[in-house]
Amino acid sequence: MNLRTRTRVLVLLVAVLLLGGVGTGAVLYAADRGAERDQAQPGGPSVHTGEVSLSRGGQLLFRNMAWGPHRDEITSVPADRPDAPRTASGVQCLRFHAAAGTGVCLQAVHGALSDTYRTVILDDHLHEQRSFPAAGIPTRARVSPSGHLAAWTVFVSGDSYAGTNFSTRTSIVDVRDWNLRENLEDFTVVKDGHPYQAHDINIWGVTFADDTTFYATVATAGQTHLVRGDLGARTLTTLHDNVECPSLSPDGTRVAYKKRVPGLSADSPWRLYVLDLATGVETATAEHRNIDDQALWTSDGTLLYALPGDYGADLWSVPADGSGSPQRATTAAVAPARLG
């Protein structure tokens, strides 16, 4: 073996050793980070295992984001004390909502090469009743006030609403007979009083009025619209422009939503507004930060929503009438549902 060949072999061996060291270091770092996620952090919320029920009123449930053994589990706290110690259910969800003893839980199924997703319908003890494959990354979930209907939205492509290069799929199931409307894009869109068809329709963010009527966002031609859905007629009728992720008030008169405000950054374009359905009057809330969430109404007319936090997300609240100022309700939490 001449000098040039020996030099090349030596260089190759050094490169292999260096790459092996980098790979080993990356694996060890990932393992350390994984172990860190399983350890409760000083100053974080108190979480303990216990019984969580969807039939018990006066509770606030949400996905626990605090690092520790109960991360990503659905936890419960008293609704009037959202920062109280949390009771962990053992059920992990990426997105969650519940009402009247029914829960909808969007889960990741971790595979060797990639993750898949599924939607699980839960009973009042958080036991699985039925599951459905989900076509992509979970983003929104809602249960009707009666507990009879559950809706969910996933990203089939893309992972953010901020741009235009994404596609969603929204489904609704009736838990009484498991009648599944797998894709609301099969419904007829009625825009400006006429049936409307387009190849770029996306639908997301269902919020229920009852077991027939719901509201959602329809996006097409670069615009978003609030629509009223009719399950029986299979129609989606446009009502108001520039509405995303609507959330219907308990009395059915107002919708909270995120609105794109002209002049803001394309990466953070939304502010939290409330629409009076009868008059069409929009009211800006006192929350002036970017909101990328489907807000939740509480019983006293305030809105609960997630903002980025140290553990991923915190829950904040603000009055729905435009008064007051935002207040942090609890840390390390997302996807809330208020029971009772």
Side-chain angles (χ1 to χ4, degrees), residues 35 45 200 245:
D200 66 344
C245 300

Side-chain angles (χ1 to χ4, degrees), residues 27-315:
V27 170
L28 292 174
Y29 176 77
D32 286 344
R33 293 290 289 176
E36 186 180 6
R37 285 166 60 94
D38 291 335
Q39 299 298 317
Q41 300 299 300
S46 174
V47 188
H48 58 85
T49 302
E51 181 183 357
V52 176
S53 171
L54 302 184
S55 59
R56 185 180 305 140
Q59 299 289 300
L60 182 69
L61 276 63
F62 49 77
R63 173 187 169 193
N64 172 53
M65 299 289 287
W67 285 6
H70 301 294
R71 182 177 170 89
D72 296 329
E73 291 183 21
I74 299 305
T75 55
S76 69
V77 294
D80 59 351
R81 291 189 296 119
D83 58 350
R86 304 173 181 182
T87 302
S89 66
V91 177
Q92 292 187 339
C93 304
L94 297 177
R95 285 291 180 268
F96 171 81
H97 192 250
T102 297
V104 57
C105 170
L106 278 64
Q107 296 179 332
V109 181
H110 301 296
L113 299 178
S114 62
D115 290 348
T116 58
Y117 303 94
R118 68 176 193 149
T119 299
V120 180
I121 306 301
L122 305 170
D123 67 13
D124 60 343
H125 295 292
L126 277 75
H127 298 150
E128 180 177 329
Q129 290 187 292
R130 187 75 63 94
S131 67
F132 304 91
I137 300 171
T139 174
R140 303 288 180 242
R142 278 294 189 267
V143 175
S144 65
S146 68
H148 294 158
L149 302 173
W152 60 94
T153 299
V154 300
F155 285 117
V156 177
S157 64
D159 59 4
S160 171
Y161 295 108
T164 58
N165 188 26
F166 68 87
S167 177
T168 61
R169 180 171 299 173
T170 296
S171 307
I172 295 178
V173 68
D174 191 323
V175 305
R176 294 168 295 185
D177 57 9
W178 303 113
N179 180 14
L180 175 66
R181 286 81 166 182
E182 188 172 5
N183 190 351
L184 294 191
E185 292 175 25
D186 295 335
F187 283 31
T188 299
V189 176
V190 180
K191 186 174 181 290
D192 301 324
H194 303 284
Y196 175 85
Q197 292 182 330
H199 69 280
D200 66 344
I201 288 176
N202 277 301
I203 301 165
W204 68 86
V206 166
T207 181
F208 290 101
D210 51 41
D211 290 343
T212 299
T213 304
F214 62 93
Y215 297 85
T217 294
V218 164
T220 182
Q223 302 293 321
T224 59
H225 311 275
L226 175 68
V227 295
R228 182 176 59 243
D230 186 314
L231 276 181
R234 296 176 63 87
T235 57
L236 301 165
T237 303
T238 60
L239 301 177
H240 198 83
D241 295 338
N242 197 5
V243 172
E244 299 183 54
C245 300
S247 179
L248 187 66
S249 63
D251 63 5
T253 64
R254 293 175 292 169
V255 165
Y257 62 101
K258 60 181 197 182
K259 175 182 178 177
R260 289 179 184 264
V261 176
L264 297 180
S265 165
D267 295 326
S268 54
W270 298 294
R271 296 296 181 266
L272 187 60
Y273 275 70
V274 174
L275 172 70
D276 187 300
L277 290 171
T279 66
V281 172
E282 296 178 319
T283 300
T285 69
E287 176 56 84
H288 302 304
R289 291 168 291 184
N290 184 63
I291 300 295
D292 186 7
D293 196 15
Q294 187 173 20
L296 179 80
W297 290 80
T298 64
S299 59
D300 60 354
T302 61
L303 301 171
L304 199 62
Y305 50 93
L307 284 171
D310 291 340
Y311 297 94
D314 297 336
L315 289 179

Side-chain angles (χ1 to χ4, degrees), residues 286-287 305 317-319 323-327:
E287 176 56 84
Y305 50 93
S317 67
V318 72
S323 65
S325 61
Q327 303 292 325

